[in-house]
């Protein structure tokens, strides 16, 4: 509901307005948090449906994306290679989660896979 252009605008504004260390991570944080939300929703549905392997993968992906988003949101002056390594780890986890979700036909799995693939592409581009 509040996902669309509002978040992108806020992320863009924070990136433009922040001059301190970490101020340019707004788009990464937004993408990671979007992915984590999709993963949590999928994991909850998976659990209700008895798809425990998929649920575990989605929960792990949500945890990693949330953790990295939290680190980047702090604005600590991290070396660029550290930021790249964190984003690369998220990309790898998102690819694995997407592959697991693609094995299932449920709508929540399809939506989660799409969110993970978008996040992976964003993180790979940012880590390059």
């Amino acid at each position: 509901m509040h996902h669309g252009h509002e978040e992108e605008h806020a992320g863009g504004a924070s990136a433009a307005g922040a001059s301190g260390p970490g101020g340019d991570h707004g788009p990464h944080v937004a993408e990671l948090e979007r992915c984590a939300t999709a993963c949590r929703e999928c994991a909850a549905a998976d659990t209700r449906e008895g798809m425990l392997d998929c649920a575990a993968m989605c929960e792990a992906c949500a945890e990693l994306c949330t953790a990295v988003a939290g680190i980047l949101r702090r604005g600590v002056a991290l070396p660029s290679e550290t930021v790249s390594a964190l984003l690369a780890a998220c990309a790898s986890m998102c690819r694995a989660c997407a592959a697991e979700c693609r094995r299932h036909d449920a709508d929540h799995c399809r939506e989660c896979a799409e969110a993970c693939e978008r996040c992976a592409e964003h993180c790979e581009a940012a880590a390059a």
Side-chain angles (χ1 to χ4, degrees):
M1 325 239 172
H2 60 276
H3 288 41
H5 62 280
E6 184 183 35
E7 270 185 11
E8 291 167 14
H9 182 271
S14 68
S19 56
D24 57 345
H25 297 315
H28 307 331
V29 170
E31 192 63 48
L32 291 164
E33 289 178 342
R34 263 193 294 274
C35 183
T37 297
C39 287
R40 282 195 191 91
E41 290 170 359
C42 189
D46 286 337
T47 300
R48 286 192 302 272
E49 295 166 16
M51 297 163 45
L52 300 185
D53 288 347
C54 192
M57 179 69 85
C58 290
E59 286 167 2
C61 191
E63 284 181 27
L64 181 59
C65 287
T66 299
V68 172
I71 291 166
L72 296 179
R73 198 187 303 105
R74 288 179 181 276
V76 61
L78 295 170
S80 61
E81 61 269 21
T82 301
V83 173
S84 291
L86 290 169
L87 293 174
C90 285
S92 178
M93 185 77 232
C94 288
R95 292 280 181 208
C97 190
E100 174 62 32
C101 282
R102 289 282 181 210
R103 297 175 58 222
H104 309 287
D105 291 330
D107 284 346
H108 56 83
C109 286
R110 179 185 46 76
E111 289 165 12
C112 184
E114 288 170 2
C116 285
E117 287 162 358
R118 270 196 313 272
C119 190
E121 287 165 12
H122 174 94
C123 289
E124 285 162 358

